[in-house]
Amino acid sequence: MDKGFSPNLISSASVFSTDNPYYIHRSVVRESLGLHRHDFFEIDIVISGNAVSYINGENYTLLRGDVVLLTPSDHHNYIVEENEKIECFNIAFPMGLISPQAMSAIPSDVKVLHLSERDYRKAASVCDFLIEKYDDTEAECTILMKASIEWLFAFLSFFVKKDKTNPEDISKFSQALLYINDHFSDEELNRSTVASIMHISPTHFSKMFHKMVGLSFQEYLEFK
């Protein structure tokens, strides 16, 4: 990609309402979408149809049961052929909505997963529930919706190759992310401080952080 080219940015302000900390709907895309990125996380689950998506320069053909996992640093598009369409569950949520444990279950370098029909139906049932409750602002429903998104994230983690990330690293990273979220306003919070808590070098921490979250440590603090 041309170094001088920057994909369009879709901001959370244009997606999330004041009543819901996330967004979900069934979307039907009939025309190609240009290269873009956004300042929130997104999960697309293909219901029907087909399309091609370029994610960070990699080419993926998407069909029913495919799941696309996007972080704020990912640039991507959808190419839909003439007279074709693709229908998806589209879930978007901001930084900090789900727990560090759920977030670290799927490394950020995993972009597309494929579910069998049986597993797709399990995920779809949760998405249908989220859509049903989307406009309900009662506290109990908000808790259920957050838990449902975390369940979906954990469920999808079963389809990630287990050699992607060491379980001990995931445990350490979860503790570090909790610390960051609790102290992100502290002036002394920096990469070296968090790396020392994890008992790893700052360089190793930076690589692990980007792999898990899809953002650099500094970018994460700016989004917070």
Side-chain angles (χ1 to χ4, degrees):
M1 185 174 66
D2 185 349
K3 291 182 179 179
F5 177 77
S6 178
N8 292 329
L9 175 66
I10 299 176
S11 69
S12 56
S14 66
V15 174
F16 302 113
S17 73
T18 56
D19 296 327
N20 287 300
Y22 74 96
Y23 175 78
I24 179 169
H25 71 156
R26 292 174 71 124
S27 63
V28 179
V29 180
R30 302 179 186 275
E31 297 180 349
S32 297
L33 298 177
L35 196 67
H36 64 280
R37 68 181 186 89
H38 24 70
D39 60 0
F40 49 84
F41 291 85
E42 180 179 330
I43 301 176
D44 293 335
I45 302 177
V46 180
I47 300 169
S48 63
N50 66 87
V52 172
S53 181
Y54 290 89
I55 307 173
N56 302 331
E58 294 292 329
N59 181 3
Y60 299 90
T61 299
L62 303 177
L63 301 168
R64 178 180 172 88
D66 286 335
V67 181
V68 181
L69 302 153
L70 300 167
T71 74
S73 67
D74 295 324
H75 53 269
H76 64 108
N77 65 1
Y78 284 105
I79 299 176
V80 182
E81 296 294 335
E82 187 175 358
N83 299 321
E84 295 287 347
K85 66 178 181 179
I86 186 168
E87 182 179 10
C88 301
F89 290 109
N90 175 245
I91 306 172
F93 53 95
M95 186 79 67
L97 178 66
I98 66 174
S99 69
Q101 291 84 352
M103 178 181 289
S104 61
I106 304 179
S108 67
D109 59 347
V110 176
K111 295 304 165 195
V112 177
L113 299 171
H114 179 74
L115 304 181
S116 67
E117 182 63 23
R118 179 180 180 182
D119 291 321
Y120 160 78
R121 290 179 180 274
K122 292 177 182 177
S125 67
V126 173
C127 292
D128 284 333
F129 169 79
L130 289 168
I131 290 173
E132 177 186 346
K133 298 297 184 182
Y134 182 68
D135 292 324
D136 196 327
T137 58
E138 292 184 9
E140 293 81 0
C141 288
T142 301
I143 293 171
L144 279 172
M145 291 185 290
K146 179 179 181 295
S148 295
I149 293 177
E150 292 200 344
W151 179 92
L152 183 61
F153 226 74
F155 175 70
L156 293 174
S157 73
F158 286 106
F159 306 98
V160 178
K161 290 183 179 179
K162 298 304 181 182
D163 61 350
K164 283 286 184 180
T165 306
N166 187 306
E168 184 178 348
D169 284 346
I170 292 178
S171 177
K172 286 183 177 181
F173 178 77
S174 295
Q175 295 175 23
L177 198 56
L178 282 171
Y179 179 87
I180 293 168
N181 290 340
D182 288 341
H183 297 84
F184 72 90
S185 61
D186 295 353
E187 292 184 2
E188 63 271 19
L189 181 65
N190 56 50
R191 182 183 70 155
S192 297
T193 300
V194 184
S196 66
I197 293 172
M198 297 179 68
H199 303 291
I200 59 177
S201 70
T203 300
H204 186 189
F205 166 73
S206 293
K207 291 179 179 178
M208 181 186 296
F209 193 93
H210 192 276
K211 179 179 180 180
M212 294 289 194
V213 179
L215 299 169
S216 70
F217 175 67
Q218 190 58 43
E219 287 173 331
Y220 183 79
L221 293 183
E222 291 172 0
F223 273 115
K224 290 291 288 180

PDB file of all heavy atoms in Angstrom, residues 7 17 25 35 55 73 77 96 136 162 170 172 176-177 190 196 199 207 214 224:
ATOM      1  N   PRO A   7      -6.374   4.929   4.846  1.00  0.00           N
ATOM      2  CA  PRO A   7      -7.757   4.490   4.687  1.00  0.00           C
ATOM      3  C   PRO A   7      -8.713   5.377   5.464  1.00  0.00           C
ATOM      4  O   PRO A   7      -8.350   5.982   6.467  1.00  0.00           O
ATOM      5  CB  PRO A   7      -7.731   3.062   5.260  1.00  0.00           C
ATOM      6  CG  PRO A   7      -6.559   3.031   6.179  1.00  0.00           C
ATOM      7  CD  PRO A   7      -5.549   3.957   5.564  1.00  0.00           C
ATOM      8  N   SER A  17     -24.739   4.668  19.873  1.00  0.00           N
ATOM      9  CA  SER A  17     -25.703   5.599  20.439  1.00  0.00           C
ATOM     10  C   SER A  17     -25.309   5.902  21.882  1.00  0.00           C
ATOM     11  O   SER A  17     -24.432   5.254  22.450  1.00  0.00           O
ATOM     12  CB  SER A  17     -27.114   4.995  20.404  1.00  0.00           C
ATOM     13  OG  SER A  17     -27.244   3.968  21.386  1.00  0.00           O
ATOM     14  N   HIS A  25     -26.175  -5.273  14.348  1.00  0.00           N
ATOM     15  CA  HIS A  25     -27.319  -5.407  13.450  1.00  0.00           C
ATOM     16  C   HIS A  25     -26.982  -6.433  12.375  1.00  0.00           C
ATOM     17  O   HIS A  25     -25.863  -6.935  12.299  1.00  0.00           O
ATOM     18  CB  HIS A  25     -27.706  -4.059  12.830  1.00  0.00           C
ATOM     19  CG  HIS A  25     -26.718  -3.551  11.812  1.00  0.00           C
ATOM     20  ND1 HIS A  25     -27.058  -2.675  10.824  1.00  0.00           N
ATOM     21  CD2 HIS A  25     -25.396  -3.802  11.633  1.00  0.00           C
ATOM     22  CE1 HIS A  25     -26.010  -2.402  10.067  1.00  0.00           C
ATOM     23  NE2 HIS A  25     -24.994  -3.061  10.544  1.00  0.00           N
ATOM     24  N   LEU A  35     -11.571   0.846   1.132  1.00  0.00           N
ATOM     25  CA  LEU A  35     -10.644   0.587   2.229  1.00  0.00           C
ATOM     26  C   LEU A  35     -10.917   1.562   3.373  1.00  0.00           C
ATOM     27  O   LEU A  35     -11.013   2.776   3.168  1.00  0.00           O
ATOM     28  CB  LEU A  35      -9.209   0.737   1.741  1.00  0.00           C
ATOM     29  CG  LEU A  35      -8.112   0.145   2.625  1.00  0.00           C
ATOM     30  CD1 LEU A  35      -8.215  -1.371   2.650  1.00  0.00           C
ATOM     31  CD2 LEU A  35      -6.744   0.554   2.111  1.00  0.00           C
ATOM     32  N   ILE A  55      -7.672  -7.542   4.116  1.00  0.00           N
ATOM     33  CA  ILE A  55      -7.407  -7.093   5.477  1.00  0.00           C
ATOM     34  C   ILE A  55      -5.896  -6.963   5.651  1.00  0.00           C
ATOM     35  O   ILE A  55      -5.178  -7.956   5.574  1.00  0.00           O
ATOM     36  CB  ILE A  55      -7.976  -8.070   6.519  1.00  0.00           C
ATOM     37  CG1 ILE A  55      -9.462  -8.327   6.256  1.00  0.00           C
ATOM     38  CG2 ILE A  55      -7.762  -7.538   7.938  1.00  0.00           C
ATOM     39  CD1 ILE A  55     -10.059  -9.404   7.141  1.00  0.00           C
ATOM     40  N   SER A  73      -6.551  -0.993  14.414  1.00  0.00           N
ATOM     41  CA  SER A  73      -5.406  -0.753  13.536  1.00  0.00           C
ATOM     42  C   SER A  73      -5.536  -1.454  12.189  1.00  0.00           C
ATOM     43  O   SER A  73      -4.689  -1.282  11.319  1.00  0.00           O
ATOM     44  CB  SER A  73      -4.114  -1.215  14.222  1.00  0.00           C
ATOM     45  OG  SER A  73      -4.114  -2.618  14.382  1.00  0.00           O
ATOM     46  N   ASN A  77     -11.493  -3.840   3.416  1.00  0.00           N
ATOM     47  CA  ASN A  77     -12.577  -3.466   2.522  1.00  0.00           C
ATOM     48  C   ASN A  77     -13.428  -4.706   2.228  1.00  0.00           C
ATOM     49  O   ASN A  77     -13.124  -5.806   2.684  1.00  0.00           O
ATOM     50  CB  ASN A  77     -12.040  -2.857   1.219  1.00  0.00           C
ATOM     51  CG  ASN A  77     -11.246  -3.861   0.388  1.00  0.00           C
ATOM     52  OD1 ASN A  77     -11.099  -5.034   0.746  1.00  0.00           O
ATOM     53  ND2 ASN A  77     -10.731  -3.407  -0.731  1.00  0.00           N
ATOM     54  N   GLY A  96     -12.269  -1.451  25.938  1.00  0.00           N
ATOM     55  CA  GLY A  96     -12.596  -1.536  27.348  1.00  0.00           C
ATOM     56  C   GLY A  96     -13.945  -2.151  27.660  1.00  0.00           C
ATOM     57  O   GLY A  96     -14.251  -2.360  28.837  1.00  0.00           O
ATOM     58  N   ASP A 136     -33.146  -2.250  24.505  1.00  0.00           N
ATOM     59  CA  ASP A 136     -33.574  -2.305  25.903  1.00  0.00           C
ATOM     60  C   ASP A 136     -32.462  -1.726  26.779  1.00  0.00           C
ATOM     61  O   ASP A 136     -31.344  -2.233  26.799  1.00  0.00           O
ATOM     62  CB  ASP A 136     -33.860  -3.749  26.306  1.00  0.00           C
ATOM     63  CG  ASP A 136     -34.672  -3.855  27.590  1.00  0.00           C
ATOM     64  OD1 ASP A 136     -34.495  -2.976  28.467  1.00  0.00           O
ATOM     65  OD2 ASP A 136     -35.469  -4.788  27.709  1.00  0.00           O
ATOM     66  N   LYS A 162      -4.249 -23.560  18.819  1.00  0.00           N
ATOM     67  CA  LYS A 162      -3.794 -23.422  20.202  1.00  0.00           C
ATOM     68  C   LYS A 162      -2.335 -23.028  20.324  1.00  0.00           C
ATOM     69  O   LYS A 162      -1.901 -22.584  21.382  1.00  0.00           O
ATOM     70  CB  LYS A 162      -4.034 -24.747  20.957  1.00  0.00           C
ATOM     71  CG  LYS A 162      -5.502 -25.135  21.037  1.00  0.00           C
ATOM     72  CD  LYS A 162      -6.343 -24.053  21.672  1.00  0.00           C
ATOM     73  CE  LYS A 162      -7.803 -24.440  21.769  1.00  0.00           C
ATOM     74  NZ  LYS A 162      -8.642 -23.378  22.337  1.00  0.00           N
ATOM     75  N   ILE A 170      -0.845 -15.407  27.970  1.00  0.00           N
ATOM     76  CA  ILE A 170      -2.199 -14.866  28.040  1.00  0.00           C
ATOM     77  C   ILE A 170      -2.541 -14.473  29.468  1.00  0.00           C
ATOM     78  O   ILE A 170      -3.108 -13.411  29.722  1.00  0.00           O
ATOM     79  CB  ILE A 170      -3.231 -15.892  27.506  1.00  0.00           C
ATOM     80  CG1 ILE A 170      -3.054 -16.083  25.999  1.00  0.00           C
ATOM     81  CG2 ILE A 170      -4.657 -15.436  27.819  1.00  0.00           C
ATOM     82  CD1 ILE A 170      -3.978 -17.112  25.396  1.00  0.00           C
ATOM     83  N   LYS A 172      -0.429 -13.684  31.928  1.00  0.00           N
ATOM     84  CA  LYS A 172       0.359 -12.512  32.289  1.00  0.00           C
ATOM     85  C   LYS A 172      -0.201 -11.255  31.631  1.00  0.00           C
ATOM     86  O   LYS A 172      -0.303 -10.197  32.252  1.00  0.00           O
ATOM     87  CB  LYS A 172       1.822 -12.697  31.857  1.00  0.00           C
ATOM     88  CG  LYS A 172       2.624 -13.664  32.717  1.00  0.00           C
ATOM     89  CD  LYS A 172       4.066 -13.712  32.240  1.00  0.00           C
ATOM     90  CE  LYS A 172       4.923 -14.612  33.107  1.00  0.00           C
ATOM     91  NZ  LYS A 172       6.322 -14.637  32.635  1.00  0.00           N
ATOM     92  N   ALA A 176      -1.629  -7.706  33.161  1.00  0.00           N
ATOM     93  CA  ALA A 176      -1.044  -6.429  32.766  1.00  0.00           C
ATOM     94  C   ALA A 176      -2.111  -5.479  32.232  1.00  0.00           C
ATOM     95  O   ALA A 176      -2.102  -4.284  32.549  1.00  0.00           O
ATOM     96  CB  ALA A 176       0.033  -6.655  31.699  1.00  0.00           C
ATOM     97  N   LEU A 177      -3.059  -5.992  31.435  1.00  0.00           N
ATOM     98  CA  LEU A 177      -4.093  -5.145  30.875  1.00  0.00           C
ATOM     99  C   LEU A 177      -5.015  -4.608  31.967  1.00  0.00           C
ATOM    100  O   LEU A 177      -5.469  -3.457  31.909  1.00  0.00           O
ATOM    101  CB  LEU A 177      -4.893  -5.909  29.821  1.00  0.00           C
ATOM    102  CG  LEU A 177      -5.723  -5.068  28.851  1.00  0.00           C
ATOM    103  CD1 LEU A 177      -4.847  -4.047  28.128  1.00  0.00           C
ATOM    104  CD2 LEU A 177      -6.432  -5.954  27.840  1.00  0.00           C
ATOM    105  N   ASN A 190       4.005   3.716  31.967  1.00  0.00           N
ATOM    106  CA  ASN A 190       4.739   3.605  30.716  1.00  0.00           C
ATOM    107  C   ASN A 190       5.029   2.141  30.396  1.00  0.00           C
ATOM    108  O   ASN A 190       4.730   1.248  31.189  1.00  0.00           O
ATOM    109  CB  ASN A 190       6.047   4.412  30.770  1.00  0.00           C
ATOM    110  CG  ASN A 190       6.923   3.997  31.931  1.00  0.00           C
ATOM    111  OD1 ASN A 190       7.193   2.809  32.140  1.00  0.00           O
ATOM    112  ND2 ASN A 190       7.368   4.971  32.721  1.00  0.00           N
ATOM    113  N   SER A 196       7.794  -4.619  33.501  1.00  0.00           N
ATOM    114  CA  SER A 196       8.405  -5.129  34.731  1.00  0.00           C
ATOM    115  C   SER A 196       7.400  -5.943  35.545  1.00  0.00           C
ATOM    116  O   SER A 196       7.768  -6.930  36.194  1.00  0.00           O
ATOM    117  CB  SER A 196       8.955  -3.969  35.572  1.00  0.00           C
ATOM    118  OG  SER A 196       7.906  -3.140  36.050  1.00  0.00           O
ATOM    119  N   HIS A 199       7.392  -9.217  34.142  1.00  0.00           N
ATOM    120  CA  HIS A 199       8.728  -9.855  34.226  1.00  0.00           C
ATOM    121  C   HIS A 199       9.262 -10.209  32.845  1.00  0.00           C
ATOM    122  O   HIS A 199       9.820 -11.294  32.626  1.00  0.00           O
ATOM    123  CB  HIS A 199       8.682 -11.094  35.120  1.00  0.00           C
ATOM    124  CG  HIS A 199       8.194 -10.823  36.508  1.00  0.00           C
ATOM    125  ND1 HIS A 199       8.913 -10.090  37.416  1.00  0.00           N
ATOM    126  CD2 HIS A 199       7.023 -11.165  37.122  1.00  0.00           C
ATOM    127  CE1 HIS A 199       8.225  -9.997  38.550  1.00  0.00           C
ATOM    128  NE2 HIS A 199       7.079 -10.631  38.390  1.00  0.00           N
ATOM    129  N   LYS A 207       5.819  -6.209  21.583  1.00  0.00           N
ATOM    130  CA  LYS A 207       5.414  -7.167  20.552  1.00  0.00           C
ATOM    131  C   LYS A 207       4.180  -7.949  20.997  1.00  0.00           C
ATOM    132  O   LYS A 207       3.255  -8.175  20.212  1.00  0.00           O
ATOM    133  CB  LYS A 207       6.572  -8.125  20.251  1.00  0.00           C
ATOM    134  CG  LYS A 207       7.755  -7.466  19.553  1.00  0.00           C
ATOM    135  CD  LYS A 207       8.877  -8.456  19.301  1.00  0.00           C
ATOM    136  CE  LYS A 207      10.044  -7.800  18.594  1.00  0.00           C
ATOM    137  NZ  LYS A 207      11.166  -8.739  18.374  1.00  0.00           N
ATOM    138  N   GLY A 214      -3.791  -5.525  18.900  1.00  0.00           N
ATOM    139  CA  GLY A 214      -3.837  -4.957  17.567  1.00  0.00           C
ATOM    140  C   GLY A 214      -3.460  -3.488  17.519  1.00  0.00           C
ATOM    141  O   GLY A 214      -3.570  -2.842  16.485  1.00  0.00           O
ATOM    142  N   LYS A 224      -7.880   5.136  24.995  1.00  0.00           N
ATOM    143  CA  LYS A 224      -8.532   5.116  26.314  1.00  0.00           C
ATOM    144  C   LYS A 224      -8.984   6.518  26.673  1.00  0.00           C
ATOM    145  O   LYS A 224      -9.923   6.709  27.403  1.00  0.00           O
ATOM    146  CB  LYS A 224      -7.598   4.566  27.370  1.00  0.00           C
ATOM    147  CG  LYS A 224      -7.324   3.075  27.246  1.00  0.00           C
ATOM    148  CD  LYS A 224      -8.544   2.246  27.572  1.00  0.00           C
ATOM    149  CE  LYS A 224      -8.841   2.285  29.051  1.00  0.00           C
ATOM    150  NZ  LYS A 224     -10.032   1.477  29.406  1.00  0.00           N
TER     151      LYS A 224
END
